[in-house]
Amino acid sequence: MSSVVEYHQPSLASTPSSVLSIRDLRTYFFTEKGVVKAVDGVSFDVPRARTVGIVGESGCGKSMTGLSIMRLVPPPGHIVDGTITFHDAGGATDLTRLSEVEMRKIRGAKIAMVFQEPMTSLNPVFTVGSQIREAIRLHQPHSSTREVGEQVVKLLEKVGVPDPRSRQYWYPHQLSGGMRQRVMIAMALSCEPKLLIADEPTTALDVTIQAQILEVLRQLQSGKDMAVILITHDLGIVAEMADEVLVMYASRVMEKASVRTLFAHPLHPYTWGLFRARPALGMKKGQELLTIPGDVPDAAQLPRGCKFAPRCKFAQDRCREEEPPLRILEPGHEVRCHFAGELDYER
Amino acid sequence: MSRRDGYLDIVWSQFRKNTAAYIALWLLVPLFCLAIFAPALASSVPFFYYDGHKILWPWFRALLNPEETVDFWFNMALVAFVPWVVAGVIADRAWRRRGMGKWARMSRVAALYICLIVLASGMMTVPGIRPDNRYRARTFPEEQFRNEKNVVAFYPPIPFGPTEQDIESSVKPPMYRKPRFVTNPEGQEVLNWRKSNDGFPHILGTDDVGRDVFVRMLYGLRISLTVGFVAVGIYITIGVVLGAIAGYFGGAVDIVISRVIEVVILFPSFFLILTLVGLLGQSIYIIMVVIGVTGWPTIARLIRGEVLKQRAIDYVQAARAMGASHSRIIFRHILPNAISPALVAAPFGIAGAIITEAGLSLLGFGVRLPAPSWGLILRTGSENYHYWWLVVFPSLAIFVTVTVFNLVGSGLRDAMDPRLRT
Amino acid sequence: MLSYIVRRLFLILPTLFGVTVVSFCIMQLAPGDPLLMQLGATGLAGQGTQTREAYLLQKRDLKLDRPLILNLRYSLDHFQAVRQAAHFLMADESEIARQLNLLAKSPNDPENRAALRFLRGLGIPRFRQRLADARERPRLAKAVAAYARVYCEDVGVHGVPPLIDLLRRRDIDPHEKIGVIHALNAMVVQPFVYTYSYPPKDADTAKVVGAWRQWWRRAEPLTRRLSDERRAELTAHFRGMLELDRAALFEELDYIDPADTRFYIETLLSSTSLHERAVAAMALRRLVRNPLRLDVPPDAPRELIEEVADNWLVHYDLNRTLYEPPLWQRCLYCFTDTQYAHMVWRLVTFQFGRSATKTREFVATKIWNAVLVSAPLMLMAEVVIYLIAIPAGIAAAVYRNTWIDRWITFKLFLLYSIPPFVAGMLLLLFFCYGDYLKWFPMLGLHSPNADSYAWGRYLLDYLWHAFLPVVCLSLFSLAGLAMYSRTAMLDVVSQDYIRTARAKGLSESKVILKHALRNALIPILTLFSSFLPALLGGSVLVEYIFGIHGMGRLSWESIEQKDYPTLMALIYIDAIVVLLSILLTDILYTVVDPRISFGTQDGQA
């Protein structure tokens, strides 16, 4: 790779202004069929009080990235390499090196997570109030019962649950999907974390409810020193919520840029394909939606060269032979493509 | 057809991954071979007998005139075995050349065997074809052997029959060898053997009237396997048919069948079986039928649930729209997809039926003496625990057989579990 | 909640109906007559009036003489049949044999046809062939006599009105009347009521007084008259007797004088007080052993026959409502006076009666004693099972695919393949019989002299005896329950809310013990429905092997001794207990799982 001198390698040093820096994260699953690389060499930073969106098709490793940060990768998966550096008042800590007990103090308290399925993510046999209360108690063991109770009501009120005083005694199945997601968010925010990982928080919900939930998230973020990692497959949500965007494909970051840059001129053919595949307002009736041909490749049998090459209409022999590195094309815009910037999409 | 083959292939490949279950499945082969070839291994009559004047073939005649009806079927299986192997190999080759699938060939070869058994038993019931057994006496040539010196007889490796008594060697420990000569009160050495090779050791000892335990266990295997397979066959048939009808038609039919299922499930099964066997009489056939009649509700319930699920899927609607009859929809379209719970239940059911039969015999409600049954050997053992071999060996036999079937069952369950397949 | 329970109970009704049907079928499956079997071969031949009487009473008691499910006997004409029966009852065997010869010779004779129809209806095995075979006929004659008697017994009250009509006729010859009287004796057990039941009821008065009046009609001329002094003396004495309690009265009755019979019968007939009449009737019963003749020898003189016939007519008049019930009652009896209806009534009201064994114990007592033996044993076993199986299953699920899981699953699998009775016999062999180890006693639950022990030692002795049975009872179900809880736990552990709990920062133990366990217990709870039945049911085989006289042993014995009342009661109680525990489990389910409310749980049961 020495011939491509002009390519700038992304810096591996973490920036102090970021709350989380991930460097070369690798999470592999050791199954009977072989090693499945769910996350393969992902690096990015989450700036303080900003929102980073991770976009990609299902199975591209974006959820696993979130779970790796929480160190909740289900067996037989393991984080095999890389660092996840978390910065807070006490300094920097590498989450991958923490013991389980130390990690538990960070989960929920400093990094919280909201999951995709509000229907199944709440324990059906406990009331929603008691589940939030449990989270608060865990990280604030000294507060009294009454204080905790007040806090629960306040939290529910904040996320927009009507009549929180009586709703806290309801069971999850008695609530609608949107309400349950609000409860999940309330639970995640109960200890005022520095970082919230929202894993497809609105996918399972109606469109109108989606907007409400996103609004709740946005309000809660504003005025607080909380960064958010928003994992989604919906570019619309990213455009609305995120400051920075990562596009992931086949366990790798394909393109990384600020929202504005990415939406203005995407450089990776995959990103471009994603944009083209969205129905847009003003499209004529009968006009074809352009899809990306083919499927996401099986993570156990990836092609040799560029992972996107089989589906890429600009692919050349070099793409099939040699995997492109992630290179910085402009400040703050990184792309994993041999021909980034040289392609003519409108051809 | 190819879709179903594909399904079986998936199940098979899943099954093979489970080593224990795979071994257990192959263990069924020797188990069945032991049951089928029991007379060739152990019998009280010689294959060949020459008394100086005439050659006799008592073994072959005894094969066709067994004491128990269960033995008759297995003997027919033994008679049909060689033609089956020959015909099976030839037919398999021919079908393979025609490009028939693996499973279709296997099921046809198995069906061929059953046809041959039925054919043989049909032939043997025709008077005139079956040779009359003139040697029904349990100790076939005993007098001749004592009296004549020039008798030649070739016995199976173990020269004892399952019901052959020998009071002189009662409750002898394993590997007991009957002495050839004993001293009588007058101080003379007299011949003690009744048959030319009576000196063969009783491998697992003898019971209270001198029957060889190993041979009885060998023939008991036949009874256990028959009870297991027939009883489970009965209840799976009833259960699948009733469950499918209840699930498919729904409404009043469903309500009635469900109530009946509920009612039969309410009665504790072993007690119900015991009661019915106690009232109807003790015979191996009644035991099989009673286990079959009391066992079906669980299967019917499983199948009903599965059919209800399948009925809601579009392909049933499509079949109905094409004008398929109810029975066709049930048996061709729904059941092949809904039957897996019944198949999974079958090996466990067989194990359960074997346990039930042994338990009934132990209580004295099972097959009657002198028929060989593991439970009956245990019953003899329970009368005096000093004869440990009467307890340990049948227990071991029950345990091994039940384990084999349970292993196959759990392997099948794991292989058929849709949650494990993606 | 209440309405839910009520609705569930309502749903039980059809099931209960099914349970009774199954029980009834089992009862009918029994080959032969259970009571006869128990009484031995003498029963059918009719020898030994004592056993015969006891047999009949028991048969009527259990209503086994009734039709199975539909009683149309009140609307049938029994005249021809009972006349034939009376005829065959009177005749001795040689006469019957002669008649059989006639029947075989000319079956189409109109007189013979009626007789043949009757004989065919008796259900004698292989009747036609035996009739055709001349050598068989003497034996057949014997059977005919016996079966005619059984026929009369079975027809019971329905045969009485036509026979009484026959008795009333003048044109009938005395010989036939003897047959009729025999038949009546077979049909009616204990026709006359001579004393009041205890406590006395006014309803009995007509029958008691009627019986004694009939006796008095014949006995009055033969009875000594009483002087006035004696009468006064007796009145005073009778006053005194009225004050006595039952036991003392019985004692006093032993000393009354047969010469004073007239006083007591006059008191009975004239008195208006129920109590006085009752005492008088008791006194009379002491004095007159056989008040009314109801049976005649085959060669009786005409007067005797007339006397007995007269007695029967009086009996009929006194009990007219019994023999000729009003129309609505007849319609009702169609359905209620059947074997099935009576059985259902006995089962529903839990009247199991006495057992059919020699001891004639009450079934309820028998069962209760057995439950007291097996329930503590089963309770210990269940506690052991739950205490070991659930933690083992959970541990296996939590440490899935590790060596812990493999080890536990393997052990469970082995246990699952050992039937309890095999385990029991092996344990007995190795730990009890002394050839290897002699750690535990061989049979029973107590040492022979355990009753003299202090309670602490008694308890220890009990535990020592109970140890091996409990181990055996636990092994098999333990494996099943543990495997079940492993699957249940595996299902739960992979749920999203467990991940949520972890994401909160909960410790692993808290995640498992609080969040996962609570959810995994819900499916495990369904197995709870087998808890109570197992507790009461005992285990036949284990109790057999260890010589414990609990429920399992009781069921085994009652099957072996053909003790049908006990057997029915056991089957029925087992079914009811299962039914109730399923109901209980459903209710528990709604309590534990907030997702299931009382309203929406219909089809799942």
Side-chain angles (χ1 to χ4, degrees):
Chain A
M1 226 144 292
S2 55
S3 62
V4 277
V5 188
E6 72 273 26
Y7 296 164
H8 304 284
Q9 289 292 327
S11 154
L12 285 178
S14 61
T15 38
S17 65
S18 59
V19 71
L20 189 80
S21 326
I22 297 178
R23 289 293 171 269
D24 199 29
L25 178 68
R26 288 167 203 275
T27 303
Y28 293 176
F29 281 72
F30 299 92
T31 65
E32 287 170 23
K33 286 180 194 162
V35 178
V36 177
K37 302 176 177 178
V39 180
D40 201 9
V42 168
S43 310
F44 64 93
D45 293 317
V46 182
R48 177 157 290 164
R50 305 296 286 276
T51 302
V52 174
I54 302 181
V55 200
E57 289 168 282
S58 47
C60 69
K62 55 190 194 303
S63 287
M64 276 311 145
T65 311
L67 288 174
S68 302
I69 297 167
M70 293 295 279
R71 293 254 315 261
L72 284 175
V73 181
H78 296 287
I79 300 173
V80 291
D81 198 9
T83 56
I84 304 170
T85 318
F86 180 67
H87 305 272
D88 65 345
T93 33
D94 183 0
L95 297 184
T96 58
R97 279 176 219 285
L98 288 184
S99 73
E100 184 58 31
V101 178
E102 288 165 327
M103 189 62 213
R104 242 182 259 141
K105 286 187 188 133
I106 290 185
R107 272 185 217 141
K110 294 183 177 157
I111 307 177
M113 193 159 176
V114 175
F115 295 101
Q116 181 175 357
E117 293 288 340
M119 301 294 170
T120 54
S121 292
L122 286 167
N123 196 327
V125 298
F126 297 110
T127 59
V128 292
S130 76
Q131 293 187 52
I132 301 174
R133 211 169 296 133
E134 189 184 25
I136 299 172
R137 289 237 119 145
L138 194 66
H139 299 292
Q140 304 170 4
H142 301 300
S143 39
S144 70
T145 318
R146 176 187 285 264
E147 278 168 18
V148 174
E150 285 302 313
Q151 220 172 323
V152 168
V153 174
K154 226 181 269 170
L155 272 168
L156 285 174
E157 205 168 11
K158 231 191 261 176
V159 295
V161 174
D163 191 13
R165 229 162 255 285
S166 66
R167 289 284 160 97
Q168 63 169 319
Y169 298 112
W170 285 24
Y171 285 97
H173 71 276
Q174 293 167 305
L175 297 171
S176 68
M179 281 300 149
R180 277 188 239 181
Q181 198 59 297
R182 283 168 207 257
V183 172
M184 280 296 293
I185 293 170
M187 200 153 73
L189 297 183
S190 58
C191 298
E192 307 205 328
K194 287 272 171 289
L195 174 65
L196 177 71
I197 303 169
D199 184 1
E200 310 237 11
T202 58
T203 310
L205 302 175
D206 286 349
V207 182
T208 45
I209 312 286
Q210 277 185 14
Q212 291 172 13
I213 296 291
L214 290 177
E215 190 52 41
V216 167
L217 268 180
R218 205 201 313 261
Q219 275 178 13
L220 290 173
Q221 195 188 0
S222 68
K224 268 203 199 118
D225 185 22
M226 179 174 81
V228 175
I229 297 178
L230 185 67
I231 298 168
T232 179
H233 61 263
D234 189 338
L235 286 168
I237 293 176
V238 172
E240 219 170 299
M241 303 279 298
D243 304 307
E244 306 263 332
V245 188
L246 267 79
V247 179
M248 279 185 75
Y249 183 82
S251 318
R252 287 155 179 75
V253 176
M254 286 297 176
E255 190 164 2
K256 186 156 69 171
S258 68
V259 174
R260 215 171 280 248
T261 324
L262 191 85
F263 278 70
H265 50 105
L267 287 179
H268 199 284
Y270 176 62
T271 320
W272 178 74
L274 281 181
F275 285 129
R276 292 287 304 269
R278 291 174 65 212
L281 275 176
M283 259 171 89
K284 287 193 199 101
K285 196 176 173 187
Q287 184 183 346
E288 231 177 299
L289 264 181
L290 293 171
T291 54
I292 306 175
D295 285 322
V296 182
D298 188 350
Q301 305 161 348
L302 287 174
R304 203 150 60 93
C306 173
K307 307 305 171 212
F308 186 61
R311 299 172 71 188
C312 180
K313 70 177 184 179
F314 309 104
Q316 296 176 24
D317 286 346
R318 186 181 172 202
C319 302
R320 294 185 195 97
E321 292 300 318
E322 183 188 329
E323 176 157 20
L326 198 63
R327 34 181 203 139
I328 302 171
L329 283 193
E330 318 160 12
H333 197 158
E334 297 170 26
V335 189
R336 192 187 287 275
C337 180
H338 290 303
F339 305 104
E342 306 163 16
L343 300 171
D344 178 13
Y345 293 135
E346 304 305 328
R347 191 180 61 188
Chain B
M1 217 48 196
S2 64
R3 192 193 55 76
R4 265 182 71 200
D5 286 353
Y7 174 68
L8 282 181
D9 285 326
I10 293 169
V11 170
W12 178 239
S13 68
Q14 288 284 337
F15 189 88
R16 283 181 67 158
K17 277 186 204 152
N18 191 337
T19 324
Y22 192 64
I23 293 171
L25 188 72
W26 282 109
L27 275 179
L28 284 180
V29 174
L31 214 58
F32 264 91
C33 284
L34 274 181
I36 291 173
F37 292 103
L41 209 61
S43 175
S44 57
V45 292
F47 289 118
F48 164 89
Y49 180 78
Y50 177 67
D51 61 357
H53 312 286
K54 215 162 62 172
I55 294 175
L56 297 173
W57 304 92
W59 186 82
F60 296 95
R61 287 167 187 269
L63 201 62
L64 304 176
N65 296 280
E67 290 169 48
E68 299 279 323
T69 338
V70 171
D71 285 333
F72 184 69
W73 297 109
F74 276 97
N75 288 351
M76 288 305 117
L78 173 57
V79 169
F81 194 81
V82 176
W84 170 60
V85 171
V86 174
V89 168
I90 296 171
D92 190 64
R93 286 244 174 104
W95 284 326
R96 183 187 303 221
R97 221 171 294 136
R98 260 194 258 161
M100 196 180 279
K102 181 170 67 172
W103 301 105
R105 270 185 290 134
M106 262 172 66
S107 56
R108 285 194 188 197
V109 170
L112 180 73
Y113 192 29
I114 292 167
C115 286
L116 280 172
I117 294 173
V118 172
L119 196 75
S121 11
M123 261 167 57
M124 289 310 149
T125 48
V126 177
I129 293 185
R130 178 163 72 176
D132 185 33
N133 190 8
R134 278 172 286 160
Y135 323 105
R136 258 183 213 281
R138 285 200 196 93
T139 49
F140 161 66
E142 129 185 28
E143 292 80 13
Q144 287 94 322
F145 177 70
R146 281 179 198 255
N147 298 334
E148 299 183 23
K149 293 289 173 212
N150 53 349
V151 162
V152 183
F154 287 119
Y155 281 86
I158 303 171
F160 307 110
T163 57
E164 184 194 11
Q165 301 182 0
D166 182 6
I167 295 295
E168 288 162 39
S169 48
S170 61
V171 283
K172 294 293 186 241
M175 295 316 283
Y176 170 77
R177 208 183 277 270
K178 198 174 179 182
R180 179 157 195 164
F181 295 99
V182 289
T183 327
N184 70 357
E186 284 90 59
Q188 293 165 312
E189 288 246 305
V190 291
L191 186 67
N192 193 32
W193 286 8
R194 300 174 304 166
K195 301 184 287 196
S196 53
N197 54 352
D198 242 2
F200 192 85
H202 292 279
I203 301 172
L204 302 183
T206 59
D207 68 3
D208 53 346
V209 286
R211 292 177 289 226
D212 185 277
V213 172
F214 177 73
V215 175
R216 279 177 76 70
M217 277 170 53
L218 199 62
Y219 280 80
L221 178 63
R222 289 179 155 196
I223 287 182
S224 289
L225 287 180
T226 315
V227 169
F229 275 84
V230 176
V232 170
I234 292 174
Y235 78 60
I236 284 197
T237 313
I238 303 178
V240 165
V241 170
L242 285 185
I245 288 173
Y248 180 75
F249 289 105
V253 182
D254 185 24
I255 290 173
V256 170
I257 294 180
S258 300
R259 289 294 119 171
V260 174
I261 292 173
E262 201 171 285
V263 167
V264 181
I265 281 183
L266 283 187
F267 294 100
S269 61
F270 187 74
F271 184 28
L272 191 60
I273 292 170
L274 196 63
T275 310
L276 287 174
V277 171
L279 298 186
L280 294 176
Q282 293 157 253
S283 100
I284 182 167
Y285 299 100
I286 288 179
I287 291 173
M288 291 190 291
V289 170
V290 165
I291 296 177
V293 166
T294 50
W296 64 269
T298 35
I299 303 286
R301 203 183 240 188
L302 288 173
I303 294 288
R304 176 180 165 271
E306 202 63 25
V307 169
L308 274 179
K309 240 185 267 166
Q310 296 287 334
R311 199 177 61 156
I313 301 175
D314 285 341
Y315 73 87
V316 175
Q317 295 299 331
R320 200 179 287 168
M322 283 172 65
S325 69
H326 285 313
S327 63
R328 198 181 158 74
I329 293 176
I330 294 178
F331 291 105
R332 293 287 305 173
H333 294 271
I334 295 184
L335 269 188
N337 295 300
I339 207 158
S340 51
L343 291 184
V344 169
F348 291 113
I350 291 170
I354 290 173
I355 294 177
T356 306
E357 189 273 325
L360 284 174
S361 298
L362 173 61
L363 283 176
F365 280 94
V367 294
R368 281 175 192 268
L369 280 170
S373 155
W374 295 343
L376 279 175
I377 304 174
L378 278 179
R379 187 174 167 78
T380 324
S382 76
E383 280 153 16
N384 192 338
Y385 281 89
H386 292 298
Y387 308 132
W388 57 269
W389 56 94
L390 293 178
V391 176
V392 171
F393 297 124
S395 299
L396 214 62
I398 294 173
F399 173 65
V400 169
T401 318
V402 166
T403 310
V404 164
F405 280 106
N406 278 347
L407 275 174
V408 171
S410 69
L412 207 58
R413 182 186 56 203
D414 293 347
M416 284 190 164
D417 193 344
R419 274 177 302 180
L420 297 178
R421 216 186 305 132
T422 43
Chain C
M1 172 124 183
L2 195 69
S3 73
Y4 170 75
I5 295 174
V6 168
R7 212 173 64 231
R8 276 310 307 259
L9 285 173
F10 192 71
L11 266 176
I12 283 179
L13 286 181
T15 315
L16 210 58
F17 170 74
V19 168
T20 60
V21 169
V22 173
S23 313
F24 189 62
C25 290
I26 292 175
M27 190 86 153
Q28 294 302 324
L29 273 179
D33 192 328
L35 296 172
L36 273 185
M37 268 186 188
Q38 184 209 113
L39 285 166
T42 53
L44 193 64
Q47 281 121 24
T49 44
Q50 204 67 38
T51 27
R52 190 77 201 163
E53 185 96 331
Y55 162 67
L56 266 184
L57 275 175
Q58 202 179 338
K59 193 167 173 180
R60 301 254 150 117
D61 209 33
L62 294 172
K63 315 286 182 191
L64 288 179
D65 52 342
R66 304 295 203 280
L68 294 183
I69 20 182
L70 200 60
N71 190 347
L72 296 174
R73 285 182 185 173
Y74 281 103
S75 40
L76 294 179
D77 183 14
H78 295 282
F79 184 75
Q80 282 302 331
V82 289
R83 192 166 185 179
Q84 293 292 341
H87 172 75
F88 283 111
L89 269 185
M90 166 214 45
D92 62 2
E93 276 161 27
S94 57
E95 204 181 323
I96 297 176
R98 216 179 54 233
Q99 205 182 343
L100 287 177
N101 287 336
L102 277 175
L103 286 177
K105 217 173 284 169
S106 51
N108 288 328
D109 200 45
E111 253 182 62
N112 290 350
R113 201 179 279 169
L116 262 181
R117 227 175 83 193
F118 170 72
L119 289 176
R120 279 186 199 137
L122 286 181
I124 303 172
R126 300 192 303 113
F127 176 71
R128 272 158 215 264
Q129 294 97 304
R130 289 167 80 180
L131 187 64
D133 185 356
R135 281 168 309 167
E136 274 281 325
R137 273 178 218 144
R139 294 244 304 279
L140 184 61
K142 211 173 199 168
V144 165
Y147 272 88
R149 194 179 171 81
V150 173
Y151 170 78
C152 289
E153 285 162 2
D154 279 353
V155 151
V157 292
H158 309 287
V160 173
L163 286 179
I164 294 293
D165 282 349
L166 269 177
L167 277 187
R168 285 226 173 90
R169 280 209 209 155
R170 296 265 156 234
D171 59 332
I172 190 171
D173 78 287
H175 202 58
E176 193 173 351
K177 263 192 186 171
I178 297 176
V180 170
I181 288 166
H182 280 306
L184 279 171
N185 272 309
M187 287 173 193
V188 185
V189 184
Q190 291 184 331
F192 279 102
V193 186
Y194 296 109
T195 53
Y196 286 87
S197 51
Y198 183 80
K201 278 197 290 287
D202 221 11
D204 295 338
T205 304
K207 289 178 188 172
V208 174
V209 172
W212 286 110
R213 186 171 282 140
Q214 172 68 7
W215 172 76
W216 189 233
R217 262 178 49 209
R218 288 177 205 287
E220 200 201 351
L222 311 171
T223 314
R224 196 163 66 106
R225 296 188 177 276
L226 292 172
S227 62
D228 284 349
E229 305 87 79
R230 181 66 185 156
R231 198 176 288 269
E233 224 173 274
L234 281 171
T235 315
H237 181 236
F238 192 72
R239 287 265 152 67
M241 280 191 351
L242 289 179
E243 307 297 317
L244 298 174
D245 66 355
R246 203 166 147 80
L249 182 61
F250 271 113
E251 210 163 290
E252 189 62 36
L253 284 176
D254 285 340
Y255 300 107
I256 58 176
D257 186 357
D260 303 328
T261 312
R262 184 178 283 271
F263 170 78
Y264 295 107
I265 187 89
E266 277 170 1
T267 313
L268 177 70
L269 294 182
S270 63
S271 170
T272 50
S273 146
L274 179 62
H275 187 50
E276 278 180 25
R277 278 199 299 250
V279 174
M282 275 165 79
L284 280 170
R285 197 76 185 97
R286 279 296 156 100
L287 296 174
V288 189
R289 290 290 163 189
N290 294 307
L292 293 173
R293 284 204 69 154
L294 291 165
D295 207 357
V296 283
D299 49 353
R302 178 177 278 270
E303 303 79 60
L304 183 60
I305 297 174
E306 284 307 319
E307 183 196 325
V308 172
D310 195 34
N311 286 346
W312 275 109
L313 290 178
V314 167
H315 163 73
Y316 184 73
D317 287 335
L318 285 174
N319 296 287
R320 191 173 278 274
T321 45
L322 175 65
Y323 298 119
E324 287 177 16
L327 185 64
W328 64 270
Q329 229 162 16
R330 286 186 205 189
C331 297
L332 199 65
Y333 282 159
C334 273
F335 302 102
T336 57
D337 194 24
T338 59
Q339 282 192 29
Y340 176 67
H342 283 292
M343 192 205 70
V344 168
W345 181 247
R346 284 202 306 277
L347 291 184
V348 169
T349 53
F350 288 95
Q351 295 168 355
F352 300 123
R354 290 169 183 276
S355 82
T357 52
K358 292 262 155 50
T359 52
R360 305 272 291 136
E361 275 175 284
F362 280 107
V363 171
T365 343
K366 234 176 158 177
I367 292 179
W368 178 242
N369 288 338
V371 166
L372 285 185
V373 172
S374 57
L377 215 57
M378 295 306 288
L379 186 68
M380 281 191 274
E382 296 282 344
V383 168
V384 169
I385 290 170
Y386 279 78
L387 280 188
I388 296 178
I390 294 181
I394 286 169
V398 170
Y399 300 102
R400 188 186 183 178
N401 288 337
T402 61
W403 65 270
I404 298 179
D405 180 27
R406 289 205 191 99
W407 188 78
I408 290 177
T409 332
F410 177 70
K411 286 275 143 120
L412 289 179
F413 200 88
L414 289 187
L415 282 186
Y416 195 69
S417 300
I418 304 179
F421 60 92
V422 168
M425 291 187 72
L426 290 175
L427 288 175
L428 273 176
L429 175 67
F430 288 113
F431 293 119
C432 301
Y433 275 85
D435 287 358
Y436 304 95
L437 297 165
K438 195 161 171 47
W439 288 357
F440 294 100
M442 291 174 282
L443 293 171
L445 281 178
H446 299 285
S447 298
N449 50 350
D451 287 336
S452 60
Y453 291 169
W455 67 268
R457 197 175 160 202
Y458 185 85
L459 194 69
L460 278 180
D461 177 67
Y462 177 76
L463 288 178
W464 182 50
H465 279 79
F467 183 82
L468 285 186
V470 167
V471 168
C472 278
L473 290 170
S474 327
L475 288 182
F476 190 67
S477 331
L478 188 145
L481 182 67
M483 284 187 184
Y484 193 84
S485 45
R486 177 177 176 265
T487 346
M489 197 66 185
L490 274 182
D491 269 354
V492 171
V493 169
S494 61
Q495 293 288 329
D496 288 345
Y497 51 78
I498 297 302
R499 194 176 57 188
T500 311
R502 291 213 178 98
K504 267 186 212 174
L506 284 175
S507 64
E508 196 58 27
S509 60
K510 204 151 186 197
V511 169
I512 295 301
L513 292 180
K514 186 177 172 189
H515 286 259
L517 187 59
R518 179 82 189 275
N519 282 285
L521 279 180
I522 293 170
I524 294 174
L525 204 65
T526 45
L527 291 189
F528 190 74
S529 67
S530 68
F531 184 88
L532 209 55
L535 202 65
L536 289 181
S539 158
V540 181
L541 283 159
V542 171
E543 288 182 13
Y544 170 79
I545 291 171
F546 286 95
I548 297 164
H549 291 266
M551 282 291 272
R553 182 81 176 208
L554 180 65
S555 16
W556 176 66
E557 277 173 355
S558 59
I559 293 166
E560 195 165 52
Q561 300 168 347
K562 310 257 183 246
D563 180 1
Y564 288 86
T566 314
L567 196 55
M568 291 314 314
L570 283 172
I571 291 183
Y572 181 70
I573 289 176
D574 271 335
I576 293 283
V577 168
V578 176
L579 202 59
L580 286 182
S581 43
I582 290 175
L583 178 72
L584 201 70
T585 312
D586 279 357
I587 293 172
L588 265 180
Y589 222 121
T590 54
V591 173
V592 176
D593 190 347
R595 279 167 296 183
I596 297 169
S597 63
F598 293 112
T600 59
Q601 224 241 323
D602 239 355
Q604 299 179 15

